[in-house]
Amino acid sequence: MTSTPPRPRSGWLTVLAPGVLLALLAALRPLAVPDEGRYADISRWMLVSGDWLVPRLDGLPFFHKPPLTHWLQAASLAVFGVTPWAARLPGVLLACLMLAGVYAAGRRLAGEPLARRAALMLGASGGFLIGGQYVNHDIGVAAWIASAIWCFVLALWDGERPHAGWARAGFAACALGLLTKGLIGVALPGLVIGSWLLATRQWRKIIHLPWVSGLALFVAIALPWFWRAGERYPGLWSYLFGVQQFSRYTSSGFNNVQPWWFYLAGCLLLLFPWAFLAVYEGVARWRGKAPAAPDDPTRRLAVLCWIWLGAIVLFFSIPRSKLIGYILPVLPPLALLAALGWQRALAARPRAGRWFAAAWLLAAALPVAITLAAPRIEGGKLSRDVAAELACRAAPGDPIYALGGYPMDLPFTAQTQQPLRLVQDWARTRAEAGDTWARELFEAGDFEPATARRILLQPEVLAQAARQPQAWLLAPRDLPPDQRPLLAGWQPVSEGQAWALYRSAASAAEGPETSQHEGLPGCHAHGGKQRQP
């Protein structure tokens, strides 16, 4: 391992400055749908219900992912309030952890200049500045996967005997990855480290890892939730690991079918424009233009990074269903390869520093522009306009029905205190639904049938609900004509860009709303007032 000079204090500004920018961007847009609305409200519901064991979507057990992301988000909401920024804060911090890993590990393995440049490139990328603020599990599991890989690499880099402390930290990071998004939190670090050790003929080091203490630490972190939740819901393990992970990986019946080259293009977009320098670095090494000394630290690092990049891209390219966030774990090696490409192609040229600064500003400007434009781009899909109206009119105990869909962002925005009552022909939906929000909910209801019967309702309930005082109904503006007769007896209240709000005829017959309660908590979040007539 190369010796490095004492760490300059300014080096960590390469982590701090992009982190501050990311935190600012995370406050500038509403929740996107469906993912951000769904996952933010699952975390909020932990606070409303007091149940931190079971993630719940609209009051029903939601076992698509383990709970660590929701624990972190719920804790943030408890401290900072129920806002999109608070829901995004754990992802921001985990993105910064991934950025810090690139700087710290790169500096240890190849020196300060390369590490700083790689961190700056990653910090000005869309993968960091957009992926790091998005409320889902992807940035979290990417950070734990990258941390696990770096810990094992640092444990195995020098000598015949692994460093036990770094190895145990790697086992702990794998456990946190498992608690974030399931088996890939363990499988991908194992795939990368195993491939690297075999390719570099270091596989004998595996037997010297602290397996007993490392696995004990892994089990102590990861097992308790799986054990307790599995006892409460006997089918949880087969659903979480069998259906949501193994079947999604091997089957073709899920959404987002993409061609085999999808993730190759995704790498270029996530680290645009720096990723093209990584391509240049790879071509130069393949053509033999790189230093050939076996002890050259940049050569060793490049081998590791290409194996890391290739293994994960190949792993996720096999399934037909593909989402761009799945390959966030490749950002660290891609940034280091891009930094090597810059060092080879441009670092020695006159005014290279000025060119790098200009490129950094242009690279960061694109995700900033996308973030600023997001409210206009997403506005036609969101329900925040009617959510604000509902929050200031409804009481916490008022029944709220939804017909023709599920406004994923509304419960979080209005801060409803009970599940929405979702009206569908559920027998037909169960027979015909693909990989949709409806399937998420009726499969969740299978874990608690009694709860599902109170939440997943048939269309005929709406006629009776219209005669209830203080009942509310949400329906899409483009509700199909064959469902419009179900609105009989409901009085229009407000029409937003995507959703419309109605109240029951019984409420309308009582005249203007005069109750002096303070509405739902979301009313205050939007600067609203008490109920208006």
Side-chain angles (χ1 to χ4, degrees):
M1 188 178 300
T2 61
S3 60
T4 57
R7 178 166 57 245
R9 294 181 180 179
S10 62
W12 285 101
L13 289 176
T14 60
V15 175
L16 180 61
V20 171
L21 176 58
L22 175 59
L24 292 174
L25 292 177
L28 297 181
R29 61 182 182 85
L31 294 175
V33 292
D35 283 358
E36 286 200 303
R38 176 199 299 118
Y39 293 127
D41 198 60
I42 291 171
S43 303
R44 183 191 70 92
W45 195 254
M46 286 185 167
L47 298 180
V48 173
S49 67
D51 182 1
W52 289 64
L53 177 66
V54 182
R56 292 180 179 272
L57 176 63
D58 201 45
L60 298 170
F62 188 75
F63 293 129
H64 282 213
K65 309 289 190 300
L68 181 57
T69 295
H70 301 301
W71 290 341
L72 297 175
Q73 289 175 180
S76 179
L77 296 174
V79 173
F80 298 104
V82 181
T83 66
W85 183 84
R88 293 179 178 127
L89 181 59
V92 169
L93 296 177
L94 287 165
C96 291
L97 172 65
M98 184 166 66
L99 185 63
V102 169
Y103 175 72
R107 183 180 184 278
R108 179 86 179 271
L109 301 178
E112 167 75 23
L114 182 72
R116 183 182 298 200
R117 196 174 303 281
L120 285 169
M121 288 175 167
L122 177 55
S125 69
F128 179 81
L129 292 176
I130 295 178
Q133 59 168 290
Y134 202 77
V135 181
N136 63 12
H137 301 72
D138 292 338
I139 192 64
V141 76
W144 295 125
I145 288 170
S147 297
I149 292 171
W150 287 130
C151 288
F152 283 118
V153 166
L154 292 173
L156 297 163
W157 192 259
D158 283 329
E160 293 299 321
R161 292 276 178 174
H163 187 286
W166 279 118
R168 293 188 188 102
F171 280 105
C174 285
L176 294 169
L178 178 66
L179 273 174
T180 298
K181 205 175 178 182
L183 294 175
I184 63 168
V186 179
L188 292 186
L191 175 63
V192 171
I193 294 299
S195 300
W196 173 61
L197 291 176
L198 287 173
T200 56
R201 300 181 182 180
Q202 302 180 79
W203 60 269
R204 291 182 180 86
K205 292 182 179 180
I206 295 177
I207 63 176
H208 298 299
L209 288 171
W211 287 104
V212 174
S213 59
L215 288 175
L217 183 61
F218 177 90
V219 168
I221 295 171
L223 183 62
W225 180 80
F226 289 100
W227 184 268
R228 288 196 60 195
E231 280 189 326
R232 184 166 170 182
Y233 300 96
L236 176 134
W237 288 24
S238 62
Y239 181 76
L240 174 58
F241 295 122
V243 175
Q244 290 303 319
Q245 299 197 0
F246 184 77
S247 291
R248 279 188 175 271
Y249 187 82
T250 60
S251 302
S252 58
F254 295 95
N255 290 336
N256 307 302
V257 173
Q258 301 291 346
W260 64 269
W261 47 262
F262 176 77
Y263 287 128
L264 297 178
C267 288
L268 298 177
L269 290 174
L270 287 174
L271 205 76
F272 181 83
W274 314 110
F276 291 99
L277 290 166
V279 175
Y280 174 82
E281 164 67 14
V283 171
R285 287 190 180 272
W286 180 67
R287 290 181 175 179
K289 296 181 180 181
D295 59 346
D296 173 51
T298 63
R299 177 183 179 276
R300 295 184 68 193
L301 182 61
V303 170
L304 167 67
C305 289
W306 281 115
I307 291 172
W308 181 340
L309 176 64
I312 292 181
V313 168
L314 178 61
F315 178 88
F316 282 121
S317 294
I318 293 172
R320 296 182 63 189
S321 177
K322 299 176 178 69
L323 289 170
I324 191 68
Y326 289 177
I327 55 160
L328 288 176
V330 307
L331 289 179
L334 196 58
L336 285 161
L337 290 169
L340 287 170
W342 177 278
Q343 182 174 293
R344 180 189 308 282
L346 300 168
R349 297 193 177 189
R351 296 185 293 276
R354 294 181 182 179
W355 282 108
F356 184 85
W360 193 94
L361 290 173
L362 288 173
L366 181 59
V368 169
I370 292 173
T371 300
L372 294 176
R376 292 190 296 274
I377 296 171
E378 292 283 332
K381 305 175 184 178
L382 305 180
S383 65
R384 58 178 179 156
D385 39 19
V386 295
E389 187 78 17
L390 175 67
C392 293
R393 287 177 174 266
D398 289 352
I400 304 170
Y401 297 82
L403 169 68
Y406 180 31
M408 288 283 185
D409 57 325
L410 183 138
F412 186 94
T413 304
Q415 297 183 43
T416 56
Q417 302 298 291
Q418 57 180 324
L420 303 188
R421 305 180 186 190
L422 303 177
V423 178
Q424 293 279 320
D425 182 347
W426 286 103
R428 180 178 176 181
T429 299
R430 183 179 286 270
E432 298 177 355
D435 188 18
T436 65
W437 67 269
R439 178 169 293 279
E440 291 176 351
L441 285 161
F442 69 66
E443 287 185 351
D446 291 341
F447 287 98
E448 286 186 3
T451 305
R453 285 193 289 271
R454 298 193 297 270
I455 294 173
L456 308 182
L457 305 177
Q458 295 299 116
E460 53 265 24
V461 305
L462 286 181
Q464 180 181 355
R467 297 191 291 271
Q468 293 179 307
Q470 299 310 320
W472 303 89
L473 174 64
L474 297 152
R477 284 186 59 182
D478 58 352
L479 187 69
D482 63 325
Q483 295 190 42
R484 290 195 172 276
L486 296 172
L487 299 177
W490 293 89
Q491 303 298 315
V493 172
S494 175
E495 189 172 273
Q497 293 187 69
W499 290 81
L501 175 66
Y502 303 82
R503 63 172 176 163
S504 57
S507 301
E510 294 176 356
E513 301 164 54
T514 57
S515 299
Q516 296 302 307
H517 66 69
E518 297 183 354
L520 300 175
C523 180
H524 300 290
H526 289 278
K529 301 177 181 179
Q530 292 180 344
R531 281 180 158 184
Q532 301 297 319

